[in-house]
């Protein structure tokens, strides 16, 4: 009976060991492919005089990033992904449309004259990252710093106003820059990560003018990024 128990235990532990070895062999070539989701607070910079943000301007993004390690220990990698982003900006820049179809820009001085005034965008995005992390084949909780570049194409742009001037919404404004791009940084531990996006080009093109000057304001997005294996 004792010999039988010894044989069984030897077989069980031998099987577990061989399974563990096979797992390690597979995991030795692990990749940190990730689904990601993030939420940001959107800040307008380089604003024209008297243009101010109001309320809380939110951004949301999600997608998938393919991980391509570049060193033997797999602590460094290149990440390339595809994602979706939605962003809104609450402010006092009035975008109105004339009877001829031309879009005009002005500043609403009295905030008591409107309930809502914002513009928003929906983008398809291509993030490219240089990734550093302390991960190992068996450790899924690790520090990370991902920095890179994000290219986005805005397929829907809208502006909405509700106030004394009436309620109106437009989604055919050609003055938005459909191509958006900027620098990114994500850093943190495990699932919770600080995220920063710094736009390198303005939200509007040169056709958008306020008092004869181009509207060169751009966006900085600050928030949290969640990575899911």
């Amino acid at each position: 009976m004792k010999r039988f128990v010894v044989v069984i235990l030897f077989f069980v532990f031998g099987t577990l060991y061989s399974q563990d070895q096979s797992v390690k062999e597979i995991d030795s070539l692990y990749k940190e492919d990730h689904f990601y989701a993030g939420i940001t607070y959107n800040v307008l910079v380089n604003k024209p005089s008297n243009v101010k943000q109001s309320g809380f301007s939110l951004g949301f993004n999600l997608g998938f990033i393919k991980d391509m390690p570049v060193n033997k220990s797999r602590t460094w990698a290149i990440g390339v992904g595809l994602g979706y982003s939605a962003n809104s900006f609450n402010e006092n820049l009035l975008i109105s449309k004339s009877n001829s179809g031309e879009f005009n820009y002005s500043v609403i001085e009295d905030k008591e004259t409107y309930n809502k005034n914002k513009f928003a965008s929906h983008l398809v995005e291509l993030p490219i990252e240089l990734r550093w992390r302390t991960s190992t084949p068996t450790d899924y909780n690790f520090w990370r710093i991902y920095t890179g570049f994000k290219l986005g194409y805005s397929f829907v742009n809208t502006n909405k106003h509700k106030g004394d001037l009436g309620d109106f919404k437009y989604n055919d404004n050609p003055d938005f820059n459909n191509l958006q791009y900027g620098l990114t940084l994500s850093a943190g531990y495990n699932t919770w990560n600080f995220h920063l996006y710094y736009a390198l080009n303005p939200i509007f093109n040169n056709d958008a003018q306020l008092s004869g000057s181009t509207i060169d304001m751009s966006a900085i997005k600050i928030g949290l990024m969640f990575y899911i294996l």
Side-chain angles (χ1 to χ4, degrees), residues 83-141:
Y84 161 79
S85 176
N87 300 277
S88 65
F89 298 88
N90 296 287
E91 28 61 45
N92 64 339
L93 178 67
L94 178 66
I95 305 175
S96 59
K97 189 177 183 180
S98 66
N99 292 332
S100 62
E102 181 183 1
F103 283 88
N104 301 306
Y105 301 83
S106 59
V107 175
I108 307 173
E109 299 290 352
D110 187 356
K111 64 180 181 180
E112 301 297 328
T113 61
Y114 66 94
N115 298 319
K116 178 179 291 187
N117 190 78
K118 70 174 185 177
F119 60 82
S121 61
H122 298 264
L123 303 96
V124 176
E125 296 184 322
L126 175 66
I128 303 172
E129 298 177 340
L130 175 63
R131 317 176 109 199
W132 172 85
R133 63 285 182 107
T134 61
S135 60
T136 69
T138 57
D139 186 6
Y140 301 103
N141 299 324

Side-chain angles (χ1 to χ4, degrees), residues 36 60-63 81-87 121-127 150-157 178-181 197:
Y36 66 87
F60 175 75
N61 57 87
L62 56 85
L82 183 65
Y84 161 79
S85 176
N87 300 277
S121 61
H122 298 264
L123 303 96
V124 176
E125 296 184 322
L126 175 66
K150 183 180 286 186
L151 179 67
Y153 179 79
S154 180
F155 60 92
V156 175
N157 294 297
N178 288 330
L179 193 64
Q180 296 285 322
Y181 51 89
Y197 171 86

Side-chain angles (χ1 to χ4, degrees), residues 210-221:
L210 177 66
S211 301
S213 299
T214 57
I215 304 173
D216 296 325
M217 63 184 178
S218 57
I220 294 177
K221 305 172 188 178

